[in-house]
Amino acid sequence: MKKITLIFLALAVVINSFSVANVQSEAAENDIENEVHTEILEQSGNEWNNQENQKNSSDFSDSDTIQDNSDINATENGVDAEKQDDTKVEDPQNMDDPELTDRANSWRYTDGVLFHQEEIGGKARSRAKAAYNPNATRTGIDVSHHNGTIDWEKVKDSGVDFVIIRCGYGKDEKGQDDKQWSRNVSECERLGIPFGVYLYSYAKDTQSAQSEAQHVLRLINGHRLTYPVYYDMEDDSTLGSDFASIATTFCNAMKNAGYPVGVYASLSWWNNYLTDSCFEGWYRWVAQYNNSCQYKGNYAMWQYTSKGSVSGITTDVDMNYLIGYPSDHGTPSGISVPDETKDMITYSAHVSDIGWMNAVSNGLIAGTVGQNGQLEAIKLKVDESKGVGISYQVKVKNNGWQEMVTDDQVAGTTGSGLPIEAVKIQLIGQNASKYDIYYRTYVQNIGWLDWAKNGISSGSDTYGLEAYQVAVLPVGSEAPGDTIYTYHTIDMKMQAHVSDIGWQDKENNGKIIGTTGKNKGIEAYSLSIQKENLGITYTSCINGKWQADVSDGQMSGTTGQAKHIEAIKIQLTGREKENYHVYYRVHVSNIGWLDWTADGAPAGTKHYKYPIEAIQVEVIPDDADNVPEMGKAYKEKSDNVRYSVSVSDAGWQEYSANGEIAGTTGKNKAIKALTVETDIPDLNVEYTSYNKENDWQDWVNMGEETGNDKAVEAIKIKLSGEASSEYHVYYRVHVSNIGWLDWTSDGEAAGTKGYGYNIEALQIKILKNGDTNSPELGEGYRENGVGISYRAHVRNLGWQPYAENGDQTGTTGKALCIEALQIKKMNLEYEGNIEYCAHVSNIGWQDWVKDGKTAGTTGKALAVEAVKIKLTGDLAEHYDVYYRTHVRNIGWQSWVKNGNQAGTTGQAKSVEAIQIKLVKK
């Protein structure tokens, strides 16, 4: 009998779903402007009628409240509804409880079926594009399992700023977890997408609300939320319940657990049901599908359509605007205060168009945030039993600082429309020294300032306040946050161009530009001050070189060149500069935040190749109460030698140092210029270059450039200065068609001349005399027509063309032996000869010969098996001769020199190729 009853009930649900869908379809076909007013819609307070009276205005709850019996696109795209959760139903009577199968009922849903009439067609999409709020700063989405399996990498690339993820619905049952929760939250964390969560509520009493709170806490435990937990209150089954008590139970559980919390509902629910003053203590998320949000109260987020289209999500998706700044949304409204001072202070705010708001206690926010509401007056009161009192004063627009007032007196004005611009608060009384009072203010157009303390000014000379926050702590307690930027005096705009992101939004004086923790360097930045007789200049260090100064609003750095800023300098200009200081600090990759510096001193690093990732700049009056603590803001690496090269088609590279490779290999890109420096005291580096169209250029000193936009073929480097006798400079070059040549030193040429070969890379070292790491010197330079030339007579091929200075003569891989050699010197400046002899098969060692004579035999089919080569006379005093042979079945042997044997004897293994080079001693 139970099974039959269940079948009939299921059929009833399906039939009802089809009938609703048909009604919607007919309504859409007949007249999209005429809303469908069924008994179900009338039951929800004639939401559509109310919206029709407001022209093109529609008010929805969260589309993710579509539950397991339907999908967001089921009524439009013919997609089959998703199956219900596997909830076991023992008693047919329990089917009357919509929570068991998540059959959402609200002004948009009946038994989980979506009424989608207003959102059909292009009308909703056009309206969504026109949705506007002047305080909206970020665009986000909210999702659930109804959006299917989401490609979160595409979502991130689409530009979505944040996500609110459904974690589940109703009480704390695992079967009521959202089926995509685990995947959605893990993907957002993996990709670094900021997110919060929401839970769809069926609570009718505080006991159920407590279970729903535990449901959320179980799921979010261990996750890194950056936005609040939202309580979705909209289900018709809860109408008539004590919403204030239910919301208080849930939201307090979240706050006590350390999570920021808010409530989600439609416009009509906010206007008609969620009106208790308790809701002022939590973030409001308002759903109204319209080109503007018509809610009169404060709200933190506006859901403006359910017809959004986002790459990576195959269904329509809800779109939301964040109202205010991310730092204000998702940060717990209260701070941690000890029990000793928890109830020590209460304070309230009088806000334009609202009046006096409820008083809040130690650590909470009084006023409004991001809503353009003016803070016009304040009152503060402390527990006199602690032996303390309180005094405070405010600065009112156009009136200046008022007189100091005390305990629960009004500071400011009411009914005059004048905002408070700044506050000072301090404790008084016999026990005042036992406590510190911290406070911060939310400034229009600026946001939250840092925490002021014990009577220091907090606020602005320019803009009104919207809110303030106070914390009384035992003396010596850690401050609630930063305590530097407590007062805004100068309008300064700052902007950074970040790699892979581009130009970010402009920020105000004291804020941070750039990014941290994302490994993205700043490539350029700009600063501008809007104050008469005060200006600003600044510069950047890129690749170890300081750029020229720029001023107000101009770009310092580069874009499109993948060059990161390593250090900055900033200073003030104008007649008013003596009355202000500019403080700044930088966040550097691999280091983090360096200390503050000021007024033209460098901040960052040099020669570490560490990009600046974020910059914080603040202009502060000379007589300010609180200024940043100065420290070590700059690090410069001392290198024995560093050098940079300009590469064809690529330009100047970053500096290399102490033997690192500068340039490229294997890319056929020539070096066209170079510059060299050293940090060794009393030591200078001089250098010159040679290219195919010019002779050697004039010597230049360190830091200067040599080269003239032509491919460099050879270089010379030498040391000078008082310390030059204590050091040697070593260098080698990578040459096209040859590869790396050997190391040379101290003014000798490195590279080639007369071959048309380009230098593609180089290495330089400066080492102390006798350093055991000194490289072995060799053939570092080749000059066409100068040095040594040689040729081989190869079996079946005859005499080969002459090879020079280390090139190969003979063959490899062809099993053809060398039968004879001829070797001669070319245009060498020293007297003496090159002598050589060959070991020939069936003959043995022959006599030494010289001056190009033949060693070996021709026409006898006898192979050369080994050779010896030596120098004589002055030539031997200045050069060594190196040579090596390629032997059949062995390959290339090691280099030998100055008369030693290369090859084999007594093994009947012929020499197939040979290389010979002269190396200066």
Side-chain angles (χ1 to χ4, degrees):
M1 185 62 184
K2 289 183 178 180
K3 292 183 178 179
I4 293 173
T5 303
L6 286 171
I7 292 171
F8 279 126
L9 286 170
L11 286 171
V13 171
V14 173
I15 291 170
N16 183 53
S17 299
F18 280 120
S19 65
V20 172
N22 289 334
V23 170
Q24 292 176 326
S25 177
E26 290 172 7
E29 293 173 0
N30 293 333
D31 187 355
I32 190 65
E33 296 297 330
N34 295 325
E35 306 301 346
V36 181
H37 304 296
T38 66
E39 292 181 0
I40 299 167
L41 288 176
E42 292 170 357
Q43 181 182 353
S44 64
N46 290 320
E47 182 80 4
W48 286 109
N49 285 326
N50 293 338
Q51 296 311 307
E52 280 299 313
N53 294 333
Q54 296 172 0
K55 286 187 180 180
N56 297 325
S57 174
S58 60
D59 173 12
F60 290 83
S61 58
D62 186 348
S63 73
D64 285 338
T65 59
I66 309 166
Q67 304 301 333
D68 296 327
N69 287 332
S70 67
D71 186 85
I72 189 168
N73 288 311
T75 59
E76 292 182 39
N77 302 327
V79 179
D80 291 339
E82 294 186 27
K83 295 181 180 180
Q84 296 182 359
D85 288 333
D86 295 329
T87 304
K88 294 183 179 180
V89 182
E90 296 282 336
D91 186 348
Q93 293 181 351
N94 287 337
M95 290 295 290
D96 294 334
D97 186 355
E99 180 180 352
L100 292 178
T101 50
D102 200 21
R103 301 193 314 280
N105 287 274
S106 69
W107 65 277
R108 277 210 302 166
Y109 298 92
T110 294
D111 287 334
V113 178
L114 171 67
F115 282 109
H116 215 48
Q117 63 271 22
E118 171 65 6
E119 290 286 285
I120 293 174
K123 177 182 175 184
R125 298 191 191 280
S126 298
R127 189 174 60 242
K129 290 180 180 178
Y132 172 74
N133 184 296
N135 296 311
T137 61
R138 302 290 188 275
T139 301
I141 60 176
D142 57 89
V143 300
S144 72
H145 77 93
H146 298 291
N147 298 103
T149 301
I150 296 172
D151 186 335
W152 284 104
E153 292 186 347
K154 290 183 178 179
V155 171
K156 181 177 182 179
D157 292 340
S158 73
V160 165
D161 296 314
F162 66 94
V163 183
I164 310 297
I165 308 170
R166 189 177 89 146
C167 61
Y169 60 90
K171 60 182 175 290
D172 190 15
E173 298 284 349
K174 289 187 177 180
Q176 294 179 197
D177 297 349
D178 187 281
K179 292 190 287 293
Q180 287 289 328
W181 157 252
S182 294
R183 182 180 185 277
N184 286 342
V185 71
S186 62
E187 283 293 277
C188 285
E189 288 177 332
R190 179 178 69 86
L191 296 169
I193 300 173
F195 71 93
V197 304
Y198 77 92
L199 178 129
Y200 188 93
S201 173
Y202 288 98
K204 300 177 184 177
D205 52 43
T206 56
Q207 183 178 356
S208 297
Q210 185 63 42
S211 181
E212 290 183 340
Q214 292 304 314
H215 191 178
V216 174
L217 293 175
R218 169 172 60 84
L219 292 175
I220 65 176
N221 183 42
H223 292 292
R224 303 183 299 274
L225 277 67
T226 46
Y227 280 77
V229 174
Y230 276 100
Y231 199 34
D232 186 341
M233 302 180 72
E234 63 173 287
D235 197 84
D236 288 345
S237 66
T238 66
L239 286 171
S241 303
D242 186 352
F243 290 131
S245 297
I246 290 170
T248 298
T249 298
F250 180 92
C251 293
N252 281 350
M254 295 301 111
K255 291 181 71 171
N256 291 339
Y259 295 99
V261 65
V263 175
Y264 167 96
S266 66
L267 176 64
S268 67
W269 272 60
W270 282 116
N271 286 336
N272 297 310
Y273 303 125
L274 309 183
T275 56
D276 192 277
S277 61
C278 69
F279 290 95
E280 295 176 0
W282 313 305
Y283 297 107
R284 289 187 182 95
W285 181 5
V286 181
Q288 183 186 8
Y289 299 168
N290 190 33
N291 53 19
S292 64
C293 182
Q294 296 167 334
Y295 183 57
K296 300 302 183 183
N298 301 317
Y299 55 96
M301 203 152 67
W302 169 31
Q303 186 185 84
Y304 61 88
T305 185
S306 66
K307 296 291 288 185
S309 178
V310 173
S311 177
I313 302 178
T314 58
T315 67
D316 290 345
V317 64
D318 296 343
M319 304 298 297
N320 302 274
Y321 281 141
L322 181 72
I323 310 304
Y325 300 92
S327 59
D328 307 323
H329 191 76
T331 301
S333 57
I335 61 170
S336 177
V337 294
D339 291 340
E340 178 184 350
T341 60
K342 184 175 183 181
D343 299 318
M344 188 170 173
I345 186 170
T346 57
Y347 46 99
S348 57
H350 187 283
V351 178
S352 59
D353 299 326
I354 295 177
W356 283 107
M357 302 180 70
N358 292 338
V360 298
S361 60
N362 198 7
L364 299 180
I365 293 171
T368 62
V369 171
Q371 305 300 317
N372 283 333
Q374 292 183 167
L375 182 65
E376 297 177 337
I378 63 173
K379 292 189 293 185
L380 298 93
K381 186 176 182 179
V382 293
D383 182 359
E384 294 179 356
S385 67
K386 299 285 189 180
V388 297
I390 192 165
S391 66
Y392 46 97
Q393 67 179 141
V394 299
K395 183 167 76 75
V396 177
K397 186 176 181 65
N398 301 329
N399 291 340
W401 286 100
Q402 293 185 337
E403 294 294 327
M404 188 80 70
V405 298
T406 59
D407 294 286
D408 212 27
Q409 292 180 310
V410 174
T413 63
T414 59
S416 61
L418 296 176
I420 292 174
E421 294 180 328
V423 302
K424 296 178 183 178
I425 308 172
Q426 60 187 10
L427 297 175
I428 57 177
Q430 61 181 0
N431 290 333
S433 60
K434 295 181 179 181
Y435 305 95
D436 286 318
I437 185 165
Y438 292 90
Y439 45 96
R440 63 173 182 161
T441 52
Y442 188 95
V443 181
Q444 290 175 332
N445 302 317
I446 302 296
W448 285 109
L449 301 179
D450 290 343
W451 292 87
K453 175 184 178 183
N454 298 340
I456 292 174
S457 300
S458 174
S460 170
D461 279 341
T462 308
Y463 302 111
L465 305 184
E466 295 184 24
Y468 71 113
Q469 187 176 11
V470 182
V472 177
L473 302 174
V475 70
S477 299
E478 184 178 356
D482 291 337
T483 58
I484 302 301
Y485 181 40
T486 66
Y487 200 82
H488 168 79
T489 60
I490 298 296
D491 268 349
M492 180 173 67
K493 296 296 183 182
M494 306 178 292
Q495 193 174 22
H497 187 282
V498 180
S499 59
D500 301 327
I501 295 177
W503 285 106
Q504 295 181 317
D505 295 338
K506 289 184 177 180
E507 292 288 359
N508 294 295
N509 186 17
K511 295 292 186 179
I512 293 171
I513 56 175
T515 63
T516 59
K518 296 184 177 180
N519 196 31
K520 296 183 182 298
I522 291 178
E523 298 176 339
Y525 71 108
S526 67
L527 308 172
S528 61
I529 288 180
Q530 290 82 47
K531 184 173 177 61
E532 189 176 358
N533 299 322
L534 189 65
I536 194 165
T537 62
Y538 43 99
T539 183
S540 304
C541 181
I542 299 176
N543 292 338
K545 294 183 178 180
W546 287 100
Q547 295 188 324
D549 286 350
V550 298
S551 59
D552 296 279
Q554 294 179 310
M555 182 186 79
S556 179
T558 63
T559 60
Q561 300 183 37
K563 294 181 178 180
H564 298 124
I565 294 174
E566 298 168 339
I568 62 172
K569 298 177 185 176
I570 307 173
Q571 56 188 351
L572 299 176
T573 61
R575 293 201 303 270
E576 286 286 321
K577 70 177 182 179
E578 301 301 325
N579 298 323
Y580 295 88
H581 295 286
V582 57
Y583 295 89
Y584 44 98
R585 63 173 182 163
V586 296
H587 188 281
V588 177
S589 67
N590 301 313
I591 296 177
W593 283 108
L594 294 175
D595 293 332
W596 290 87
T597 191
D599 300 330
T605 64
K606 188 176 180 182
H607 303 315
Y608 284 87
K609 301 181 183 177
Y610 295 164
I612 289 176
E613 298 178 333
I615 302 172
Q616 187 173 13
V617 186
E618 183 177 2
V619 177
I620 300 178
D622 184 57
D623 59 352
D625 296 321
N626 206 16
V627 297
E629 182 178 352
M630 310 279 278
K632 188 173 183 179
Y634 181 70
K635 297 179 66 174
E636 183 171 347
K637 182 189 288 185
S638 295
D639 293 317
N640 278 8
V641 64
R642 58 181 169 271
Y643 37 95
S644 178
V645 298
S646 177
V647 178
S648 60
D649 300 327
W652 284 97
Q653 293 184 331
E654 294 184 1
Y655 272 89
S656 302
N658 302 326
E660 296 175 337
I661 294 174
T664 63
T665 60
K667 296 183 178 181
N668 197 30
K669 293 182 180 296
I671 289 177
K672 302 169 76 172
L674 71 147
T675 181
V676 188
E677 300 175 4
T678 180
D679 293 327
I680 299 174
D682 301 321
L683 189 67
N684 181 44
V685 184
E686 300 179 44
Y687 42 98
T688 181
S689 60
Y690 173 85
N691 65 51
K692 61 178 69 74
E693 295 185 8
N694 296 282
D695 206 343
W696 289 97
Q697 295 190 343
D698 293 337
W699 289 86
V700 298
N701 293 306
M702 67 176 185
E704 299 175 341
E705 297 177 10
T706 183
N708 57 2
D709 204 34
K710 306 293 183 181
V712 172
E713 293 184 311
I715 61 172
K716 296 177 182 177
I717 307 174
K718 63 183 180 181
L719 303 177
S720 60
E722 294 181 13
S724 60
S725 61
E726 302 175 25
Y727 294 88
H728 293 288
V729 58
Y730 301 91
Y731 44 99
R732 68 169 182 166
V733 297
H734 187 281
V735 177
S736 60
N737 301 315
I738 296 177
W740 285 106
L741 294 176
D742 294 330
W743 290 89
T744 191
S745 68
D746 298 328
E748 296 293 334
T752 62
K753 183 177 180 181
Y755 292 94
Y757 298 162
N758 304 322
I759 293 178
E760 299 178 333
L762 56 84
Q763 293 173 276
I764 308 174
K765 298 179 180 180
I766 294 179
L767 300 174
K768 274 215 163 194
N769 296 342
D771 193 313
T772 57
N773 294 315
S774 299
E776 183 179 354
L777 304 182
E779 184 196 20
Y781 177 73
R782 296 185 189 180
E783 187 171 346
N784 193 15
V786 177
I788 189 171
S789 65
Y790 43 93
R791 64 175 180 169
H793 187 281
V794 179
R795 183 172 295 172
N796 300 331
L797 297 179
W799 285 107
Q800 299 282 288
Y802 274 97
E804 297 180 1
N805 301 321
D807 294 331
Q808 173 184 308
T809 185
T811 63
T812 59
K814 297 181 179 181
L816 298 176
C817 64
I818 290 177
E819 295 181 334
L821 282 173
Q822 294 177 342
I823 306 174
K824 59 184 179 180
K825 64 179 184 178
M826 300 184 298
N827 303 316
L828 291 171
E829 55 185 310
Y830 300 107
E831 296 295 329
N833 289 301
I834 302 172
E835 298 184 3
Y836 47 98
C837 64
H839 186 282
V840 180
S841 59
N842 299 328
I843 295 177
W845 286 106
Q846 294 182 320
D847 294 335
W848 293 85
V849 295
K850 59 183 178 181
D851 297 330
K853 298 286 193 301
T854 299
T857 63
T858 59
K860 298 182 179 181
L862 298 176
V864 171
E865 296 178 337
V867 296
K868 296 178 182 178
I869 309 172
K870 64 182 179 180
L871 305 177
T872 63
D874 288 343
L875 193 59
E877 295 294 323
H878 293 89
Y879 284 94
D880 291 314
V881 59
Y882 284 81
Y883 44 100
R884 66 172 181 167
T885 55
H886 187 281
V887 178
R888 181 176 298 176
N889 298 327
I890 294 177
W892 285 107
Q893 294 184 310
S894 299
W895 290 91
V896 297
K897 67 176 183 178
N898 298 338
N900 289 309
Q901 174 183 304
T904 63
T905 59
Q907 299 183 38
K909 296 182 182 298
S910 58
V911 172
E912 297 180 334
I914 189 170
Q915 292 174 293
I916 311 171
K917 59 184 179 181
L918 295 181
V919 178
K920 269 197 173 184
K921 291 184 175 179

